[in-house]
């Protein structure tokens, strides 16, 4: 779904949005009933006021005067009651709708391929899921329903005006096209302006989110002044976008006020002359028409203002639906459920590219027997991490097959497949939550007692117990209260308690201190026992103990064998790596 620049109202988009109100139609009907009765009550007030003046004051009849004043009071109370009913239920429906859309959007994003997140700015996605959806709620609370209520009120008022005096009504309608035309032009201009506003808000959110996340880099490299300059430029664009809306408002509303004043002047002039010459027009009728004009023109001005709100909501809805229409999910057509997984992995001539035409894996074939540990080594960009991403089906392969226990992983239910694979990454991500919740990830089937026993088994219980509140210690955002080694240990425990059939370690020991490394090596020995393990190797101790070592270069396997076998190869790639990198590590 593309942008709708310059189009005052997107009917198809509106219908799609309105479909979300279906479960709440009963409340909509109550709000609609309130709007109808409210419009009638509003039109009755000037009518009763006319009679109070003509029959009560002009005829010097106190009885008629107080009768119509009582009716006006009843109508006024009715307006208050039904306006309350209308506002409450229209807002209630709006909040229910945005809750449903937000949940649907988040669920949709949960199924996206990693490739989608690789290309999408986090700040922009946050804007869509939070800010834009909040803007959609204004369609129901301040935009759509209010516009409908105002249009209904205007229709009823116009009917009363014709009933009272078609001559005076025609005078009003003679000026009406001018303000209608001005409103139409205003709506189109504001549509374009608000699209620009939402774009600049999204850019602003993206910039701030990235700089706050990377504040350490900004300060280390003395980028404060440069980032300030960039932020100021983005803010200027944001300000200019809003100033366009201010300019359009400053033109439209004075025009609307002039039209109202001119119409009232014409009514007083023509009506006054007629009142002086005959009984066709009375003072009460002129007074009523002045009120009718306000009721007719003021809602029109408000409709233009509310249409701004509606436009912003529609632009936001368009952006949200664009994400909902994005087909970037892994195809989950597998029907097989995994039971008693042995962990036999088989890559058969696998080709893969992140960007079409630029292959990252060029015909990879490898086998891992049940319980076997495979180490994968190679220079940066060789395709090591890509292999494990494909095994977990974070990306779709271009061609070839990946088998688990002889079954193509595409035929396995995605949840079942990922349940059997635990991954420990180099850059460990922890949520701003307790250590316990970061380990169990809120899985109710994993008890605190099981976590503690697992921690003791792999040797990290002592470290966790030493922290304030132990397993209930809040690690804050991204685990900032822990060192990189401590975060790594939490990641190992998280993998261990999930009891996977296959364990993947992606450079999991590359950036830790010597004390943490000892704990990690103990943890690795424990959690890899009896499990098929794939290790993106960095530390020498892990590589030497692997059942087979795979050496990759530029997306291809160039060597394969045990540590001893590969060292025997003259001028072998692994041997060179060992001598250049691993001998230095061993010496240190």
């Amino acid at each position: 779904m593309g942008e709708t620049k310059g189009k005052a109202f997107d009917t198809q988009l509106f219908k799609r949005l309105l479909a979300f109100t279906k479960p709440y139609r009963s409340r909509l009907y109550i709000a609609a009933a309130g709007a109808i009765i409210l419009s009638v009550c509003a039109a009755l007030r000037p009518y009763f006021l006319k009679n109070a003046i003509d029959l009560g004051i002009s005829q010097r009849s106190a009885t008629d005067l107080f009768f119509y004043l009582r009716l006006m009071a009843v109508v006024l109370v009715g307006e208050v009651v039904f306006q309350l009913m209308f506002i409450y239920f229209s807002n209630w429906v709006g909040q229910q709708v945005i809750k449903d859309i937000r949940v649907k959007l988040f669920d949709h994003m949960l199924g996206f391929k990693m490739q989608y997140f690789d290309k999408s700015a986090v700040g922009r996605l946050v804007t869509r899921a939070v800010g834009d959806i909040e803007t959609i709620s204004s369609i129901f609370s301040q935009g759509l329903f209010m516009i409908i209520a105002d249009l209904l009120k205007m229709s009823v008022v116009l009917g009363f005006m014709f009933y009272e005096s078609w001559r005076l009504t025609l005078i009003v309608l003679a000026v009406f096209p001018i303000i209608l035309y001005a409103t139409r032009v205003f709506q189109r201009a504001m549509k374009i302006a608000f699209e620009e506003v939402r774009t600049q808000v999204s850019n602003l959110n993206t910039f701030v989110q990235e700089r706050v996340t990377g504040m350490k880099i900004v300060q280390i490299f003395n980028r404060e002044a440069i980032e300030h300059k960039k932020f100021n430029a983005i803010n200027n664009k944001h300000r200019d976008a809003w100033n366009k809306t201010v300019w359009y408002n400053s033109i439209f509303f004075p025009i609307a006020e002039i039209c109202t004043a001119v119409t009232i002047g014409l009514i007083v002039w023509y009506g006054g002359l007629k009142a002086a010459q005959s009984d066709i027009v009375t003072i009460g009728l002129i007074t009523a028409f002045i009120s009718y004009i306000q009721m007719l023109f003021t809602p029109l001005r408000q409709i233009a203002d509310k249409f701004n709100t509606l436009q912003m909501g529609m632009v936001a809805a368009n952006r949200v639906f664009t994400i909902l229409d994005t087909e970037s999910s892994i195809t989950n057509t597998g029907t097989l459920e995994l039971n008693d997984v042995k962990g036999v992995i088989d890559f058969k001539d696998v080709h893969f590219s992140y960007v079409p035409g630029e292959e990252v894996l060029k015909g990879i074939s490898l086998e891992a027997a049940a319980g076997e540990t495979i180490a994968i080594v190679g220079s940066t960009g060789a395709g090591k991490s890509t292999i494990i991403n494909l095994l977990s089906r974070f990306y779709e392969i271009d061609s070839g097959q990946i088998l688990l226990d002889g079954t193509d992983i595409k035929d396995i239910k995605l949840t079942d497949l990922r349940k059997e694979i635990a991954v420990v990454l180099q850059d460990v991500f922890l949520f701003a939550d307790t250590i316990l919740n970061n380990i169990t990830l809120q899985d109710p089937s994993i008890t605190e007692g099981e976590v503690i026993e697992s921690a003791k088994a792999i040797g990290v219980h002592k470290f966790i117990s030493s922290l304030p509140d132990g397993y209930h210690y809040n690690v804050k955002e991204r685990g900032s209260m822990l060192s990189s080694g401590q975060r790594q240990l939490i990641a190992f425990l998280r993998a261990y308690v999930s009891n996977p059939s296959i364990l993947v370690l992606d450079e999991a020991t590359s950036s830790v201190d010597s004390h943490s490394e000892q704990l990690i090596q103990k943890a690795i020995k424990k959690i890899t026992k009896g499990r098929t393990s794939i290790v993106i190797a960095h530390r020498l101790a892990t590589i030497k103990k692997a059942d087979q070592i795979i050496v990759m270069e530029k997306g291809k396997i160039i060597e394969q064998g045990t540590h001893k076998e590969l060292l025997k190869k003259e001028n072998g790639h692994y041997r060179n790596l060992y001598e250049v990198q691993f001998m230095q590590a061993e010496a240190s």
Side-chain angles (χ1 to χ4, degrees), residues 370-381:
E372 191 174 51
T373 297
I374 295 179
I376 304 177
V377 300
S379 57
T380 301

Side-chain angles (χ1 to χ4, degrees), residues 185-200:
V185 173
F186 178 66
Q187 289 169 355
R188 287 183 178 276
M190 292 300 285
K191 169 72 174 178
I192 298 171
F194 279 131
E195 283 176 344
E196 179 63 19
V197 166
R198 295 310 303 168
T199 298
Q200 295 307 326

Side-chain angles (χ1 to χ4, degrees), residues 235-284:
N235 262 301
N236 286 340
K237 289 181 180 179
H238 179 258
R239 177 205 61 203
D240 292 343
W242 271 110
N243 279 344
K244 281 185 182 179
T245 68
V246 173
W247 171 244
Y248 295 144
N249 277 306
S250 64
I251 294 174
F252 172 75
F253 286 105
I255 291 174
E257 287 293 338
I258 290 171
C259 289
T260 304
V262 168
T263 307
I264 292 174
L266 289 173
I267 290 295
V268 172
W269 169 72
Y270 178 81
L273 288 176
K274 289 296 180 181
Q277 295 170 1
S278 65
D279 294 333
I280 296 175
V281 177
T282 64
I283 299 299

Side-chain angles (χ1 to χ4, degrees), residues 500-519:
S501 303
I502 299 168
L503 179 69
V504 176
L505 306 179
D506 186 0
E507 299 281 13
T509 61
S510 61
S511 58
V512 297
D513 55 72
S514 57
H515 175 69
S516 295
E517 185 186 352
Q518 291 176 1
L519 292 175

Side-chain angles (χ1 to χ4, degrees), residues 104-121:
K104 186 174 182 178
L105 178 66
F106 188 71
D107 286 346
H108 190 63
M109 289 168 61
L110 286 175
F112 279 163
K113 301 175 186 177
M114 289 298 106
Q115 202 162 7
Y116 179 86
F117 297 104
D118 294 341
K119 298 177 181 179
S120 302

Side-chain angles (χ1 to χ4, degrees), residues 379-398:
S379 57
T380 301
K384 306 185 298 295
S385 296
T386 301
I387 288 178
I388 62 172
N389 284 333
L390 296 181
L391 179 62
S392 299
R393 289 201 71 199
F394 291 132
Y395 301 85
E396 296 280 23
I397 62 176
D398 297 338

Side-chain angles (χ1 to χ4, degrees), residues 17-77:
L17 192 61
L18 205 60
F20 283 90
T21 66
K22 197 170 184 179
Y24 315 110
R25 289 289 166 85
S26 60
R27 269 81 170 187
L28 271 181
Y29 294 148
I30 295 174
I36 292 170
I37 299 172
L38 188 61
S39 63
V40 174
C41 289
L44 281 173
R45 276 194 293 111
Y47 176 75
F48 290 148
L49 177 62
K50 183 205 76 168
N51 288 337
I53 294 172
D54 290 344
L55 301 177
I57 298 174
S58 297
Q59 301 295 327
R60 301 179 185 279
S61 172
T63 303
D64 288 335
L65 176 64
F66 285 113
F67 173 72
Y68 285 109
L69 287 178
R70 282 195 294 271
L71 287 178
M72 288 176 65
V74 171
V75 167
L76 191 62
V77 172

Side-chain angles (χ1 to χ4, degrees), residues 147 150-151 154 187 299-308:
I147 289 174
D150 284 341
L151 288 173
M154 290 168 64
Q187 289 169 355
L300 190 60
R301 295 200 305 271
Q302 290 175 347
I303 284 174
D305 197 30
K306 288 162 187 172
F307 204 88
N308 297 345

